[in-house]
């Protein structure tokens, strides 16, 4: 049965590790960028750089 996932959990975990983070609890978000790379966000308190991310709604 084919999977509907476009990004696997392993790819996300790899991106977190590549950003020097060993604990997923330190990560608030992982963004799949338009060029296929991942951005790892540790703190969403000041998320001004996420204003162009589709379906992102700041937590108030």
């Amino acid at each position: 049965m084919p999977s509907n996932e476009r990004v696997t959990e392993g790819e996300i975990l790899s991106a977190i590790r590549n950003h020097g983070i060993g604990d997923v609890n330190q990560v608030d978000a992982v963004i799949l960028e338009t060029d296929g790379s991942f951005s790892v966000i540790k703190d969403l308190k000041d998320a001004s750089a996420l204003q162009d991310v589709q379906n992102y709604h700041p937590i108030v």
Side-chain angles (χ1 to χ4, degrees):
M1 174 184 231
S3 172
N4 290 332
E5 295 177 3
R6 295 183 183 181
V7 177
T8 67
E9 181 179 0
E11 289 172 309
I12 293 170
L13 293 173
S14 176
I16 292 170
R17 290 190 304 270
N18 285 333
H19 281 81
I21 302 168
D23 181 0
V24 296
N25 292 313
Q26 295 178 347
V27 176
D28 282 350
V30 177
I31 308 295
L32 177 61
E33 301 290 355
T34 57
D35 66 358
S37 66
F38 292 97
S39 293
V40 178
I41 310 297
K42 290 179 70 172
D43 189 354
L44 285 174
K45 289 178 186 150
D46 181 21
S48 59
L50 299 180
Q51 62 186 344
D52 67 335
V53 174
Q54 183 178 0
N55 296 324
Y56 171 72
H57 304 287
I59 299 171
V60 189

